[in-house]
Amino acid sequence: MFVAKTALRSALLAAVLGGVGTLRAQGDEPSLEQGFSVAVRPFLETYCVDCHGKEKPEAQLDLGRYVSLEAVAADHRTFKLVLDRLEAGEMPPEDSPHQPTAEERKGVVAWIRAARARDARLHAGDPGQVLARRLSNFELDCTVRDLTAVDMRPTRQFPVDPANEAGFDNSGESLAMSPALLKKYLDAARFVADHVVLKPDGFGFAPHVVASETDRDKYCVARIVDFYRSHAVDYADYFFVAWRSAHPDPNEPAISLSDLAARSGLSLKYVTTVLATLNDPSEESGPLADLRAQWRQLPGDPREADGARRGCQAMRDWVIETRKKYVTNVDPLPVKGISRGSQPAVLWRNRQWADRRMRYEGDAAADRFCRVFPDAFYVAERPPYFDPNGTTRGRLLTAGFHLMQGYFRDDGPLCELVLDDQERRELDTLWRELNFVTDAPRRQYKDFIFFERAEPPRFASGDNFDFARSEDKDTTSPAKIERLRLAYLTKARELKNSEVVIEAIEHYFTTVATEILWVDRARAAAEASHLSALARFAERAYRRPLLAAERDDLLAFYWQLRERDGIDHENALRDVVASVLLSPDFCYQFAAPQSGASVQPLTDYELASRLSYFLWSSMPDDELLSCAQAGTLRDPQVLVDQVRRMLRDDRVRGLAIQFAGNLLDFRRFDEHNGVDRERFATFTNELRQAMYEEPIRFFVALAAKNGSVLDLLYGDYTYVDTTLAHHYGVPEAEQGADGWWRLDDAGRYGRGGLLPMSVFLTKNSPGLRTSPVKRGYWVVRRLLGERIPSPPPEVPELPKDEAQLGDLTLPELLARHRQQKSCAACHERFDSIGLVFEGYGPIGERRERDLSGHPIDDLATFRDGASGSGLDGLRRYLRQNRQGDFLDNLCRKLLVYALGRGLLPSDDPLVDNMRVGLAADGYRFGGLVEAIVTSSQFLNKRGRE
């Protein structure tokens, strides 16, 4: 009976196959309906619903519910899976009692393809339903980084984001918001807001939480010290640039002194001074004359740069040693009845030292030397006043007080000799911010009062000084400062202190009163700028212009906190910042549909965000938003230009981590702990990090240089640092400097492209042995896009330790494994591919014997009968037989990632165009991206209807 039904169905099928074959061109829907009734539904009932029916649907797949063409069209994903299984010959399974004929299988495949073609034709260019979604953890971290200019990573304690069906965590299907997660978002928003630093004009963010005076000090001091260190002077560098300007390399184009200085990162101002000093013949004796003599002895041949460099270093050392001879000591200020640690006395001595940085009294020749070569360009650390020769370590910018807070600026030579006008203004701003942010003058003055009242000789004790108490709120008012000044000076004069001491006291009180008053006025005046900056911050956070109502709401919330809740300005502003970061406009990514047409263009700002989160996993930058504001972003040439710029930007690392990391399954390898470190002692944290970094660097370079995507498979290069190069056996003589570099001709070390990267070889090893199964599965699943079902529960395990294999090799054990019917169908698809990697051990190291001592056998016979040995054999097989699968998978997965949704039948023509464009453009990655971002699917959204 079954045979008769099958024959009858085959006859009916043959009658409609011709019509189905022309459906793509003609759109013959009645023939599709007839084909479903005649061929597809009976096929499902005969071969599928016993396992995939309503009663006990295996893999939660019920194929019995599809009773019409429209039911199939409404669930294209399921029938794409059915199509893949039928074409792969996996459905029905081999142990099924009934198997379809080749004609039946062919007919259903043709019908599904025709149904997809009909759907693609009806919905051509459909942007699809892209669900509103929260930013992924990685996107949130990157967005906060670019919004605040601080990489604070507020999602450290968030749960791992789930992936969608395609393996990516950037779609509304997977990025739901739970109450528990919402609380973490609240904590994260507060965490970011706690980094806010209020400045004289607007606000910024510190690299750490700023919750205390110590935090504020740390932030401001670090910025000034970093500025100083970025302008540190090495005399040898300046001498060498001066020499090079006088002895240009004949093999290089002519270059000006300005360009020479810029290329070396040196101050043109100081280079000019040094060069003029070295070439000035007027000095006949003294240190400058001696230095010029050394200058004249440098090589005169421009080809002797190495010798000149050594000579310049010797000149530097001589200047440093000679300059020590001309340092003038400054004795402490002789005071009577006042502690030598009193702030006026210590600051007077600091000023005397600062005034002598570029002077030497009593010797005109030495003075001229000191004016070019100061004893210090700046003082970043200072010892305590009572031990001027003691340790300075960690006392950054301190005035040198004992048990008191206070800073002292000592950078006159740097400003006069090295910095240009803009750099001086920048440094002045940093010092003003120090006083503004830390309230240093007020705190210093309060410490002064406490010290003078409590520390011997307790100069400010007694009835005349009882009004001055550091804990009083008004102690820093102008009136009280003036009152203390008069009382302090009166007593100092009564003790017959010198006029120098009196002047030092006068200078102290005048300066501290001025600085405290400036901070008070600046803080009051700055509040308006902080509120304006708050609106700008919200606009950048929302990635679009603020509506007037939104601006008003932010200000209303701020004033409510100030007036109703009694919160001070700084904390009220932090709360409003946190509210911005909790807004759906910040932490969600969506394109709101409008009433009207079924397909609508994205707004320019929506397009800017879609583009930036695709390529950077972060918010649009100013240039992208400027294009959106100008309304030019949809212009094809502007859009392509922006894509090319963005791919060259360092932020494309986000695409490498999020797209390539999830596609290739190395996203969290930097946390991988599956290696036995006793057996593999070379697997250090540094090596693990380098393994993780290698594919990221490779992908970033591929994107930035618009390389061929085929390099992912066949490239004879990779990127390594010293740690990874050592692991790969690269001789030290061939290694680059510190950092990362491109390793060309990598095949010499068995490397090049993705396939032999240690991150994949290690990730797909169980720890104590290799795993051809996992390694082969990784290739066919991740690179070639095959869908492979989960293994049955009764699968026998292979030995966990390769050293315990006994007489059999791992390939021989796998051959036995494949003899079991339940395992063979799947394992024949990937075991052979995994076996070619046997020349690489459990942590990706090259080897000739396995851990049991057996010689490596990396010869494999692939599924279609072709054979190959090792990496070269696999590459040859992929190029000849599977390259199309790799390209199709790459196109589809990149499109899924870019759109943030699964693919529809209407996307098939776009995928076809991407494939054609790749081949025509030399397989360039940039062309692939451009094909996506200029597509209707990327540029549009579905309307509300």
Side-chain angles (χ1 to χ4, degrees), residues 67-174:
V67 296
S68 67
L69 169 63
E70 290 308 317
V72 173
D75 192 4
H76 58 84
R77 290 188 182 181
T78 295
F79 271 79
K80 178 62 168 67
L81 180 63
V82 171
L83 176 65
D84 293 341
R85 292 289 187 267
L86 287 174
E87 289 187 316
E90 299 169 359
M91 178 180 166
E94 288 186 2
D95 56 359
S96 176
H98 305 302
Q99 292 292 333
T101 65
E103 289 79 9
E104 287 178 302
R105 187 185 300 272
K106 179 181 176 183
V108 174
V109 165
W111 185 91
I112 295 176
R113 288 194 174 280
R116 290 180 64 84
R118 169 244 190 195
D119 196 87
R121 186 174 58 255
L122 291 176
H123 306 289
D126 178 12
Q129 184 180 23
V130 180
L131 301 175
R133 64 172 180 86
R134 62 176 173 85
L135 299 181
S136 70
N137 295 348
F138 183 79
E139 289 173 333
L140 184 58
D141 282 343
C142 291
T143 304
V144 168
R145 176 201 66 203
D146 293 340
L147 179 63
T148 66
V150 176
D151 190 11
M152 57 185 80
R153 303 186 186 181
T155 70
R156 294 177 195 271
Q157 303 303 318
F158 283 26
V160 174
D161 284 327
N164 60 18
E165 184 181 359
F168 303 116
D169 56 5
N170 70 336
S171 71
E173 299 169 0
S174 57

Side-chain angles (χ1 to χ4, degrees), residues 238-247 257 260 268-281 292 295 372-373:
Y238 283 87
F239 293 149
F240 184 74
V241 166
W243 178 86
R244 178 54 78 192
S245 71
H247 304 84
L257 182 63
L260 270 174
L268 174 62
K269 182 178 178 181
Y270 193 51
V271 165
T272 304
T273 299
V274 168
L275 183 58
T277 300
L278 294 173
N279 288 331
D280 184 358
R292 290 184 187 116
W295 166 251
V372 179
F373 303 105

Side-chain angles (χ1 to χ4, degrees), residues 24 107 245 326 345 390 405 473 647 685 758 775 823 921:
R24 183 183 299 271
S245 71
Y326 305 114
Q405 184 273 342
K473 289 185 177 180
L647 289 176
N685 290 343
S758 285
R775 290 175 174 180
C823 302
D921 189 36

Side-chain angles (χ1 to χ4, degrees), residues 611-627:
L611 186 59
S612 67
Y613 281 99
F614 171 28
L615 297 182
W616 288 346
S617 296
S618 185
M619 60 184 288
D621 65 354
D622 290 342
E623 182 170 340
L624 204 54
L625 289 173
S626 294
C627 292

Side-chain angles (χ1 to χ4, degrees), residues 768-942:
L768 291 174
R769 64 170 173 83
T770 62
S771 176
V773 173
K774 289 185 176 181
R775 290 175 174 180
Y777 178 86
W778 177 81
V779 172
V780 300
R781 179 74 180 92
R782 298 291 175 171
L783 293 179
L784 305 181
E786 289 192 29
R787 288 177 173 270
I788 299 175
S790 302
E794 307 85 9
V795 174
E797 291 189 7
L798 294 170
K800 294 182 178 180
D801 190 342
E802 194 174 280
Q804 308 297 322
L805 292 180
D807 295 334
L808 294 177
T809 65
L810 198 55
E812 290 169 338
L813 284 172
L814 284 174
R816 284 188 176 184
H817 198 66
R818 289 193 298 274
Q819 291 174 2
Q820 303 185 48
K821 254 192 169 183
S822 60
C823 302
C826 290
H827 280 266
E828 69 178 7
R829 298 169 62 181
F830 47 75
D831 280 7
S832 58
I833 289 178
L835 287 172
V836 304
F837 295 109
E838 279 300 280
Y840 300 90
I843 58 172
E845 75 280 16
R846 295 287 298 280
R847 64 181 189 171
E848 295 182 357
R849 291 182 176 274
D850 66 20
L851 299 182
S852 289
H854 302 126
I856 290 303
D857 178 8
D858 58 4
L859 176 65
T861 300
F862 302 113
R863 188 180 184 187
D864 59 1
S867 62
S869 180
L871 181 62
D872 289 340
L874 175 58
R875 283 175 171 160
R876 191 163 46 250
Y877 166 72
L878 293 176
R879 190 185 293 274
Q880 295 172 357
N881 300 277
R882 305 297 302 273
Q883 182 171 295
D885 295 335
F886 166 73
L887 294 173
D888 184 72
N889 182 56
L890 179 63
C891 290
R892 290 182 179 279
K893 290 299 175 64
L894 188 61
L895 183 57
V896 168
Y897 180 80
L899 299 179
R901 62 163 174 80
L903 296 189
L904 308 170
S906 54
D907 296 320
D908 287 349
L910 174 56
V911 174
D912 293 340
N913 290 337
M914 291 166 65
R915 288 282 306 275
V916 171
L918 263 181
D921 189 36
Y923 300 97
R924 300 294 173 186
F925 179 75
L928 194 60
V929 173
E930 290 169 21
I932 291 174
V933 302
T934 57
S935 69
S936 173
Q937 286 91 326
F938 193 87
L939 294 171
N940 298 306
K941 59 186 175 184
R942 280 186 178 175

Side-chain angles (χ1 to χ4, degrees), residues 285-306:
S285 63
L288 284 180
D290 295 340
L291 181 63
R292 290 184 187 116
Q294 297 177 56
W295 166 251
R296 290 192 297 270
Q297 292 171 7
L298 293 178
D301 188 337
R303 293 171 297 183
E304 297 185 36
D306 290 343

Side-chain angles (χ1 to χ4, degrees), residues 625-775:
L625 289 173
S626 294
C627 292
Q629 183 180 24
T632 60
L633 191 54
R634 297 183 66 86
D635 180 277
Q637 189 57 55
V638 172
L639 186 58
V640 167
D641 288 344
Q642 286 299 310
V643 166
R644 293 173 181 175
R645 175 185 70 88
M646 295 173 73
L647 289 176
R648 294 191 299 268
D649 191 282
D650 290 343
R651 282 167 286 191
V652 79
R653 181 180 172 88
L655 180 65
I657 293 174
Q658 280 292 86
F659 171 68
N662 284 313
L663 173 68
L664 303 175
D665 193 29
F666 68 88
R667 178 70 177 80
R668 276 174 283 277
F669 184 81
D670 52 343
E671 304 167 3
H672 182 69
N673 289 313
V675 174
D676 187 325
R677 298 204 181 192
E678 290 187 6
R679 292 278 291 275
F680 300 99
T682 60
F683 188 78
T684 60
N685 290 343
E686 293 74 19
L687 179 58
R688 178 179 64 183
Q689 184 63 35
M691 288 180 176
Y692 168 75
E693 189 73 17
E694 182 184 9
I696 296 175
R697 298 269 175 170
F698 193 101
F699 192 89
V700 166
L702 186 80
K705 297 176 181 178
N706 196 20
S708 168
V709 299
L710 295 182
D711 284 358
L712 297 169
L713 295 181
Y714 316 128
D716 192 21
Y717 65 92
T718 189
Y719 291 83
V720 296
D721 66 353
T722 303
T723 301
L724 196 58
H726 179 74
H727 183 62
Y728 286 169
V730 180
E732 289 189 15
E734 297 185 27
Q735 294 184 17
D738 291 342
W740 285 79
W741 70 92
R742 173 169 160 150
L743 178 66
D744 289 310
D745 198 13
R748 293 173 294 164
Y749 310 106
R751 310 296 166 176
L754 298 177
L755 293 169
M757 287 185 181
S758 285
V759 62
F760 307 123
L761 298 169
T762 305
K763 175 79 164 53
N764 295 296
S765 295
L768 291 174
R769 64 170 173 83
T770 62
S771 176
V773 173
K774 289 185 176 181
R775 290 175 174 180

Side-chain angles (χ1 to χ4, degrees), residues 217-448:
D217 290 351
K218 177 182 174 183
Y219 169 73
C220 294
V221 168
R223 279 158 56 85
I224 294 172
V225 172
D226 287 346
F227 181 96
Y228 285 156
R229 289 172 179 167
S230 69
H231 293 84
V233 171
D234 184 332
Y235 292 132
D237 294 336
Y238 283 87
F239 293 149
F240 184 74
V241 166
W243 178 86
R244 178 54 78 192
S245 71
H247 304 84
D249 189 335
N251 296 319
E252 294 185 359
I255 184 170
S256 66
L257 182 63
S258 172
D259 290 339
L260 270 174
R263 190 167 67 180
S264 303
L266 304 181
S267 162
L268 174 62
K269 182 178 178 181
Y270 193 51
V271 165
T272 304
T273 299
V274 168
L275 183 58
T277 300
L278 294 173
N279 288 331
D280 184 358
S282 63
E283 206 80 24
E284 297 181 358
S285 63
L288 284 180
D290 295 340
L291 181 63
R292 290 184 187 116
Q294 297 177 56
W295 166 251
R296 290 192 297 270
Q297 292 171 7
L298 293 178
D301 188 337
R303 293 171 297 183
E304 297 185 36
D306 290 343
R309 169 67 75 177
R310 290 191 294 270
C312 292
Q313 292 168 348
M315 289 170 62
R316 172 199 59 200
D317 297 342
W318 182 88
V319 167
I320 292 172
E321 288 301 314
T322 302
R323 186 61 180 80
K324 293 176 182 177
K325 301 176 184 178
Y326 305 114
V327 174
T328 304
N329 187 42
V330 179
D331 293 327
L333 182 65
V335 292
K336 296 177 182 179
I338 304 173
S339 169
R340 287 189 174 184
S342 177
Q343 289 188 18
V346 174
L347 293 172
W348 175 89
R349 195 180 188 193
N350 288 348
R351 291 194 299 275
Q352 300 306 308
W353 266 319
D355 289 344
R356 288 165 171 77
R357 298 282 173 221
M358 298 173 61
R359 290 193 294 114
Y360 186 73
E361 298 176 356
D363 186 331
D367 185 64
R368 288 190 291 274
F369 175 72
C370 294
R371 290 188 182 278
V372 179
F373 303 105
D375 67 344
F377 284 91
Y378 59 83
V379 176
E381 298 177 280
R382 181 178 279 103
Y385 78 93
F386 54 81
D387 186 14
N389 297 316
T391 180
T392 64
R393 187 173 182 180
R395 296 175 61 86
L396 297 174
L397 306 186
T398 176
F401 303 140
H402 177 55
L403 300 178
M404 288 180 284
Q405 184 273 342
Y407 299 104
F408 183 79
R409 180 176 180 180
D410 189 351
D411 53 25
L414 184 72
C415 292
E416 184 172 339
L417 293 173
V418 177
L419 303 183
D420 60 26
D421 291 344
Q422 180 179 342
E423 290 166 336
R424 282 200 302 274
R425 287 193 295 270
E426 182 182 349
L427 183 55
D428 291 343
T429 297
L430 291 175
W431 273 99
R432 281 196 300 272
E433 287 182 0
L434 171 66
N435 283 346
F436 181 95
V437 172
T438 68
D439 201 13
R442 190 184 317 276
R443 293 161 57 204
Q444 178 178 324
Y445 181 68
K446 287 184 175 182
D447 281 352
F448 163 73

